[in-house]
Amino acid sequence: MKHLAFILICVLGLCLSSCKEENKTIKQVEVTFTKEGELTLYKGINDTIITKLDIEIAKTDQEVQTGLMYRESMKKNQGMLFVFPQIRERSFYMKNTRIPLDLIFLDNNKTIVSFQENAKPFNEASLPSNAPAQFVLEVNAGFAEKWLLEVGDKMDYYQLKADK
């Protein structure tokens, strides 16, 4: 009987110690900017250069779904360009996006067709293009106003060669 009691106490002790919850901390990893291309914005009326940006390019479903989520900041000369295979009305939201953004919608001719300015962090409300778009450029909030962007202005970009 003494042996049975001892075994039960040992088993109970093991169960309690293995079930003990440890303090676990989840370390959030900062998503860093990776330059994948360069983008130039032009005035639509005379093709003069407005400004140039370093860009990340979102083409895959995963890249498009994640976008700029979980970023703590973005430099003023950086942005993310979403490249879609076809032109149609688009809608974005700011779920898990920590920085305020301007969204610039462009058609298949790379011409600005509309804006959503000063999109608020974490806001899940729809941010529609209000016109068919094939490209969407996300930049820091205030960018469109600072550079006096207008519907009809244009962009061009090139993608850097990927490392093999």
Side-chain angles (χ1 to χ4, degrees):
M1 214 45 170
K2 286 184 180 181
H3 287 89
L4 184 58
F6 177 74
I7 292 172
L8 284 173
I9 290 172
C10 288
V11 168
L12 183 61
L14 282 172
C15 286
L16 290 175
S17 67
S18 66
C19 294
K20 189 168 146 182
E21 198 170 303
E22 295 179 23
N23 288 339
K24 295 181 181 176
T25 57
I26 299 173
K27 185 178 178 187
Q28 182 114 13
V29 177
E30 167 72 15
V31 181
T32 57
F33 181 85
T34 303
K35 182 177 175 177
E36 297 175 321
E38 294 182 5
L39 182 141
T40 304
L41 288 162
Y42 301 91
K43 268 301 180 202
I45 54 174
N46 58 14
D47 287 335
T48 58
I49 294 175
I50 298 170
T51 190
K52 294 183 178 193
L53 296 171
D54 293 336
I55 55 169
E56 285 186 89
I57 301 171
K59 296 181 304 281
T60 68
D61 287 342
Q62 176 66 29
E63 292 167 339
V64 169
Q65 292 299 319
T66 306
L68 291 173
M69 290 179 178
Y70 312 110
R71 310 284 176 112
E72 295 295 332
S73 64
M74 186 169 57
K75 292 181 181 174
K76 62 183 178 180
N77 68 327
Q78 296 175 333
M80 179 171 277
L81 181 66
F82 295 78
V83 180
F84 296 98
Q86 75 280 349
I87 184 169
R88 67 172 178 81
E89 294 219 5
R90 305 278 168 201
S91 184
F92 279 55
Y93 61 88
M94 297 288 288
K95 180 179 179 178
N96 297 320
T97 305
R98 298 175 177 164
I99 53 177
L101 298 174
D102 285 354
L103 286 78
I104 303 166
F105 297 94
L106 303 104
D107 66 14
N108 56 319
N109 295 315
K110 301 177 186 162
T111 301
I112 296 175
V113 294
S114 68
F115 303 91
Q116 289 286 347
E117 295 182 69
N118 298 305
K120 304 293 181 238
F122 302 106
N123 187 341
E124 294 187 35
S126 176
L127 300 166
S129 61
N130 299 317
Q134 188 166 357
F135 302 91
V136 181
L137 176 62
E138 288 185 343
V139 289
N140 286 310
F143 181 92
E145 182 179 17
K146 176 184 177 181
W147 293 103
L148 304 173
L149 296 181
E150 301 174 302
V151 169
D153 289 344
K154 299 174 184 277
M155 70 99 177
D156 202 4
Y157 74 99
Y158 72 91
Q159 187 170 347
L160 300 175
K161 293 188 191 267
D163 291 338
K164 294 183 181 175

